[in-house]
Amino acid sequence: EIVLTQSPATLSLSPGERATLSCRASQSVSSYLAWYQQKPGQAPRLLISDASNRATGIPARFSGSGSGTDFTLTISSLEPEDFAVYYCQQRSNWPRTFGQGTKVEIK
Amino acid sequence: EVQLVESGGGLVQPGGSLRLSCEASGFTFSTYSMNWVRQAPGKGLEWVSYISSSSGTMYYADSVKGRFTISRDNAKSSLYLQMNSLRAEDTAVYYCARDVRSGWYDYWGQGTLVTVSS
């Protein structure tokens, strides 16, 4: 099973600041990595697939990068609605696995 | 508009059974693979099971293998999860999720809560 480790666990930032979230895989997943956003009481929302492709309707301030084992989700300038929990997920191998999440909170 | 609506959750005793349903609308259900993903209270996301569009291929997480069975009825645009021998650690919100490009989940239902407790 591929283990995805996200860091940091919590990121405390102010609106307008840049957020950088990390996801590291226990073995190479090539570019088969996605990012999801989840707000309290809501289902997750797909943000990024294939490491760097924004999903339909996702603002350009969200960007993804990386390949192999190291990946980054960057939010260029935090909007109030971006404070949430973010998960990475791989589709390279079965079982599909998620990281444990990074909470982006208001400082 | 794509919609996924789960139902069937509730309180069940350890060792009991429950069947979850997910009714799909707004897209051609029969052409998409589907998944169940769960989230224990206050915890992260855990993929549970996958079924291909024609039901020819199914996968399960090791944590549920042999106890849960995924199925679908394309005529009814519905996805199911039969859960047997339930344990306390199965307590979670269960989401159905549409699968695109072999492993990304682009639409999710609102979830249904399963609580396993005596």
Side-chain angles (χ1 to χ4, degrees):
Chain A
E1 172 174 319
I2 295 176
V3 176
L4 299 178
T5 302
Q6 292 186 241
S7 62
T10 303
L11 202 50
S12 298
L13 296 168
S14 300
E17 289 193 295
R18 182 184 189 90
T20 303
L21 288 67
S22 174
C23 177
R24 176 164 289 178
S26 59
Q27 65 188 77
S28 177
V29 297
S30 185
S31 293
Y32 298 136
L33 191 104
W35 292 92
Y36 296 83
Q37 176 193 67
Q38 187 179 33
K39 298 178 182 179
Q42 296 185 16
R45 177 174 71 146
L46 178 65
L47 298 176
I48 301 282
S49 64
D50 298 308
S52 61
N53 295 330
R54 272 190 306 276
T56 303
I58 301 304
R61 64 181 181 273
F62 291 92
S63 63
S65 64
S67 66
T69 61
D70 290 298
F71 299 87
T72 300
L73 173 69
T74 301
I75 310 171
S76 59
S77 178
L78 283 164
E79 296 288 338
E81 62 267 29
D82 299 336
F83 291 92
V85 179
Y86 294 83
Y87 295 94
C88 56
Q89 177 241 329
Q90 64 81 22
R91 73 163 182 87
S92 176
N93 282 12
W94 296 98
R96 305 312 195 205
T97 51
F98 290 88
Q100 83 280 14
T102 290
K103 182 179 182 180
V104 178
E105 65 175 22
I106 300 176
K107 186 175 181 180
Chain B
E1 179 194 4
V2 172
Q3 282 198 313
L4 297 169
V5 179
E6 301 95 336
S7 61
L11 175 63
V12 61
Q13 291 189 338
S17 298
L18 215 51
R19 188 194 195 208
L20 305 184
S21 299
C22 171
E23 186 170 340
S25 60
F27 66 102
T28 306
F29 180 75
S30 62
T31 64
Y32 286 86
S33 300
M34 297 293 294
N35 295 266
W36 288 98
V37 178
R38 69 184 179 183
Q39 186 169 37
K43 302 298 184 182
L45 301 168
E46 179 188 16
W47 169 81
V48 172
S49 186
Y50 161 94
I51 187 167
S52 62
S53 58
S54 63
S55 302
T57 300
M58 289 163 276
Y59 293 108
Y60 298 92
D62 284 346
S63 57
V64 307
K65 200 172 294 182
R67 300 187 299 122
F68 289 12
T69 303
I70 193 170
S71 62
R72 64 190 294 162
D73 184 336
N74 286 341
K76 294 182 178 180
S77 295
S78 292
L79 174 72
Y80 306 102
L81 187 68
Q82 177 67 43
M83 305 186 295
N84 298 331
S85 303
L86 282 161
R87 306 167 181 168
E89 53 265 35
D90 296 318
T91 294
V93 173
Y94 285 73
Y95 296 100
C96 62
R98 192 176 79 166
D99 193 302
V100 290
R101 300 198 306 281
S102 301
W104 308 136
Y105 312 135
D106 66 338
Y107 283 95
W108 299 61
Q110 84 289 351
T112 187
L113 176 62
V114 172
T115 303
V116 184
S117 175
S118 55

